[in-house]
Amino acid sequence: MSLRSRAWVLGVCALVFAQAVASLVMANGFRLTALSDVLQCILLLSGTLAFLPNVFSTRGRVRLFWLLMTLGLTFWLSYQLLWIYFEVYLRTDVPNPFVGDIVLFLHIVPMMAALALQPHVKQHDRAARLGALDFSLLLIFWVYLWIYNLIPWQYVQTIESAYAHNLNVLYSTEKLVFLAGLAILWNRSKGVWRPLYAHLFGANLLYAFSSYFANLAIEKNIYYSGSLYDVPLVASIAWITAAGLMAYDSKPHQESAGTTSGRGVWVARLGMMTILSLPLLAAWSVFDQSPPPRVRTFRLALTFGTMLVMGVMVFLKQHLLDRELLRLLRSSEDSYEDLQRLQAQLIQSEKLASLGQLVGGAAHELNNPLTAMLGYSDLLAATSLAPEQRTLAEKIVSQVRRTKALVASLLSFAKQVPADKNLVDVNAIVRTAMKLSQPQLSFRTIHLNADLADHLPRIAGDSNQLLQVCLHIINNAVHAMTESGGTLTLTTRRHDDSLCLDFSDTGPGIADPERVFDPFYAARPVGRGSGLGLSACYGIVREHNGNITCQNRPEGGAKFRILLPASTNNGAQLLTDRPKPGLPPGPDEPSALAARQSS
């Protein structure tokens, strides 16, 4: 504890000692009454000021906790000022029944709300909102109990003894509930929160006992302000001041330990219990014949009005719960769809990884004998052979070259190493692919439409690999529309933080679009494709942190969509403005490999 806090605690202890001495030495009279009322007011002001710095030094629900605790002490201080007004300023006894008693009764309600926040553990804001609604039900119920038990004896038919007895019982019950809440939090907390709750519990327990005996003394007309009944009351207020100072020095914060689900359930259950108790109280008002008829009528009307108000609040809570359930349902559906997509991508990646390891080793082993076969077949074709023999030799050369090309495709598929990436223009890559594909499109009477958006951001990628993807998808569309012709549409646009490339054709579509990226799956007849092209495209797009999908269009034909993340490094766009030595050619300067693939 800091030096300032120690001096503050010594000061409030001196005030408690002064109260004890005055209660023992001074006789009952105005001087003792004034001294006792002023001392209690100073101590309550001290407690309020001790709690107030915690409001400004914290945030979130911890700040709200201290704000509600400070509000409770402020109500208590206001009640003490009312006593000073009557006993010191007016020099008269506080009236009984006293309208200001409701201020004393309500000062514990904000403190109960503070405990319901459970500031020592982390809690979702949504649960806090629902908990606030549940607490509002409890608050209305407490106010209802005050009006039900005290107002009839204060305004409907004044009976001082009944009023004082009900006040003592109701206020004692309220303090017991508050003490039970403090005890539960004390038991469940840890760290610096545990001694803080312990001090608050001890101070309020002392106050509960002292006020109970003071109220009994009031009922028996033996209590007077400044009597020995006020000494433990003053000591409890000083203890609360010390708890506030200790909290400011230790600065307790939210901890991840513990769970709030049980607390939320019990608060909701208590709220429902209060609603269910209202019909019982209404029946009691009808069948209990001991109170006067006017009191019974007042209580019955009050109960029906409270049931209406609390019913509206329950409807509001159910409405909020329904909205929350619908939101959670939509969120779970979206999460399930994302999980399915992620699972499909994971399966595809595992297929590519395992197959890449397999074909990589097999292709290297096949390459050596194929090279020898190609050399021997070339030598055989160069010798003097009969026409039939030369035809057979050329067929051997053709089949060996085809097999060697297939092995080269296997090696290219298995390799898929990360390439050096620069900032590239997607529209430039698409235009280059269109130029390289134009001859075969014109030969097969296929029309090419392009809808390229302007001012697209650049992406970080390898221009040759992306060009290879575009050429292969265009080549697939060309083969699909070879017999009947058609239209191929290329579209680029921005989609959120990504660039979207669409390749749409008017061909017959794809029999199984979900399998087109599987290795060795080919829609063309046997011998016209290895089934590795789209798998390689899938690997290239994924290596660029993008996504590629295929689906059949409702109006006919197939549609490939590529999503690539846009680059946020605008200053690095100069990297692609001028080719540097050692870097791959830009999209407007396709490599020889890309040119061979397009032929």
Side-chain angles (χ1 to χ4, degrees):
M1 186 174 287
S2 63
L3 183 60
R4 179 187 66 89
S5 298
R6 291 178 181 176
W8 197 330
V9 171
L10 288 176
V12 295
C13 289
L15 293 178
V16 174
F17 180 75
Q19 175 67 60
V21 172
S23 300
L24 292 172
V25 175
M26 300 179 64
N28 182 17
F30 173 75
R31 294 176 58 188
L32 178 60
T33 299
L35 177 62
S36 177
D37 287 346
V38 171
L39 284 178
Q40 292 182 34
C41 185
I42 293 175
L43 286 172
L44 286 171
L45 178 62
S46 173
T48 305
L49 294 178
F51 275 44
L52 193 60
N54 294 290
V55 177
F56 300 103
S57 62
T58 55
R59 61 181 58 187
R61 288 191 301 112
V62 179
R63 171 177 290 182
L64 184 57
F65 167 81
W66 289 113
L67 181 62
L68 291 172
M69 295 293 289
T70 305
L71 180 61
L73 288 176
T74 304
F75 282 167
W76 196 356
L77 175 62
S78 302
Y79 181 75
Q80 185 61 35
L81 289 174
L82 292 175
W83 274 66
I84 291 179
Y85 174 74
F86 281 99
E87 293 189 335
V88 179
Y89 181 74
L90 298 180
R91 296 196 177 189
T92 183
D93 292 334
V94 176
N96 187 28
F98 181 37
V99 67
D101 287 337
I102 192 172
V103 179
L104 180 65
F105 174 78
L106 290 179
H107 94 274
I108 298 182
V109 175
M111 295 182 176
M112 290 182 179
L115 299 185
L117 291 173
Q118 278 201 87
H120 61 285
V121 291
K122 294 181 179 179
Q123 182 182 357
H124 198 281
D125 292 338
R126 180 176 64 255
R129 289 193 296 269
L130 294 176
L133 193 57
D134 291 328
F135 177 78
S136 299
L137 291 173
L138 297 177
L139 173 61
I140 293 177
F141 183 73
W142 279 113
V143 176
Y144 163 78
L145 289 180
W146 172 270
I147 299 176
Y148 185 92
N149 290 284
L150 297 178
I151 295 300
W153 310 117
Q154 187 173 6
Y155 294 106
V156 179
Q157 186 167 344
T158 304
I159 302 178
E160 295 182 3
S161 59
Y163 175 87
H165 175 74
N166 288 354
L167 174 62
N168 193 17
V169 173
L170 186 60
Y171 190 41
S172 299
T173 304
E174 185 184 33
K175 286 179 289 188
L176 287 176
V177 173
F178 180 61
L179 286 171
L182 279 172
I184 293 173
L185 295 186
W186 179 19
N187 181 55
R188 293 183 177 180
S189 61
K190 66 177 185 178
V192 295
W193 284 100
R194 189 174 181 85
L196 172 62
Y197 287 137
H199 283 290
L200 290 176
F201 177 80
N204 284 276
L205 181 63
L206 179 61
Y207 169 72
F209 278 111
S210 61
S211 62
Y212 176 77
F213 289 113
N215 287 331
L216 289 179
I218 292 175
E219 290 185 19
K220 298 178 181 180
N221 294 323
I222 60 175
Y223 172 83
Y224 59 90
S225 296
S227 63
L228 290 175
Y229 292 101
D230 287 344
V231 175
L233 177 64
V234 170
S236 65
I237 301 174
W239 197 348
I240 292 175
T241 300
L245 295 174
M246 183 197 70
Y248 182 75
D249 290 337
S250 58
K251 292 181 173 53
H253 57 277
Q254 289 181 350
E255 300 171 357
S256 58
T259 176
T260 60
S261 58
R263 193 276 314 167
V265 170
W266 277 108
V267 171
R269 289 175 179 174
L270 288 175
M272 293 300 102
M273 289 173 60
T274 58
I275 296 175
L276 294 176
S277 66
L278 293 178
L280 299 178
L281 292 173
W284 186 17
S285 302
V286 172
F287 296 108
D288 185 14
Q289 300 297 323
S290 57
R294 295 175 57 189
V295 173
R296 294 201 305 270
T297 303
F298 174 81
R299 286 177 170 179
L300 191 61
L302 172 67
T303 304
F304 286 148
T306 306
M307 290 173 62
L308 179 62
V309 174
M310 298 182 75
V312 172
M313 295 186 65
V314 171
F315 175 80
L316 176 61
K317 178 183 178 181
Q318 188 61 45
H319 175 68
L320 295 177
L321 287 174
D322 291 342
R323 289 180 55 186
E324 184 65 22
L325 289 175
L326 289 175
R327 189 192 68 82
L328 292 175
L329 179 60
R330 297 190 191 99
S331 177
S332 62
E333 290 176 349
D334 294 340
S335 300
Y336 180 70
E337 292 176 358
D338 293 340
L339 181 62
Q340 285 184 319
R341 285 193 292 267
L342 181 61
Q343 185 179 14
Q345 293 176 0
L346 181 60
I347 292 174
Q348 184 69 21
S349 300
E350 290 178 349
K351 287 181 181 179
L352 293 177
S354 59
L355 189 59
Q357 294 178 355
L358 174 64
V359 302
H364 279 292
E365 295 298 328
L366 291 174
N367 224 7
N368 293 330
L370 285 175
T371 302
M373 292 170 63
L374 183 60
Y376 289 136
S377 60
D378 287 336
L379 291 176
L380 180 62
T383 59
S384 56
L385 298 172
E388 294 181 359
Q389 293 174 335
R390 185 171 298 279
T391 301
L392 293 175
E394 290 175 354
K395 288 183 178 181
I396 293 174
V397 172
S398 175
Q399 294 300 321
V400 172
R401 291 185 183 277
R402 179 186 169 192
T403 306
K404 193 170 181 63
L406 176 59
V407 172
S409 298
L410 290 173
L411 285 173
S412 176
F413 167 77
K415 192 176 182 182
Q416 289 186 2
V417 294
D420 295 332
K421 294 181 177 62
N422 301 305
L423 293 181
V424 295
D425 186 357
V426 174
N427 284 342
I429 295 176
V430 173
R431 293 190 185 99
T432 302
M434 292 167 56
K435 291 179 183 178
L436 295 176
S437 304
Q438 193 62 46
Q440 56 177 335
L441 294 172
S442 301
F443 178 74
R444 293 175 173 83
T445 64
I446 297 175
H447 300 285
L448 182 62
N449 295 331
D451 182 12
L452 308 181
D454 296 329
H455 308 294
L456 289 177
R458 300 194 176 191
I459 64 171
D462 181 85
S463 58
N464 282 326
Q465 288 186 346
L466 295 176
L467 179 61
Q468 177 184 348
V469 172
C470 295
L471 288 173
H472 191 86
I473 295 177
I474 294 174
N475 186 52
N476 276 5
V478 169
H479 281 285
M481 297 184 291
T482 297
E483 297 181 359
S484 59
T487 302
L488 176 62
T489 303
L490 278 68
T491 305
T492 62
R493 59 186 174 86
R494 182 160 189 171
H495 180 74
D496 296 333
D497 294 332
S498 302
L499 269 69
C500 180
L501 286 77
D502 287 338
F503 299 82
S504 304
D505 63 64
T506 58
I510 299 176
D512 195 356
E514 295 181 356
R515 293 187 56 201
V516 293
F517 301 110
D518 289 348
F520 296 111
Y521 174 82
R524 285 179 274 171
V526 178
R528 296 190 181 179
S530 62
L532 292 174
L534 288 177
S535 295
C537 293
Y538 179 89
I540 291 173
V541 173
R542 295 298 297 169
E543 200 272 328
H544 282 74
N545 297 322
N547 189 29
I548 180 171
T549 58
C550 175
Q551 62 181 0
N552 288 322
R553 304 167 62 214
E555 59 271 22
K559 178 179 180 180
F560 285 84
R561 170 167 292 180
I562 300 175
L563 290 175
L564 295 170
S567 175
T568 58
N569 187 7
N570 297 325
Q573 291 180 359
L574 298 175
L575 293 174
T576 58
D577 294 340
R578 181 180 60 193
K580 295 184 179 181
L583 294 176
D588 293 325
E589 300 176 5
S591 64
L593 173 61
R596 286 198 303 270
Q597 290 173 340
S598 64
S599 61

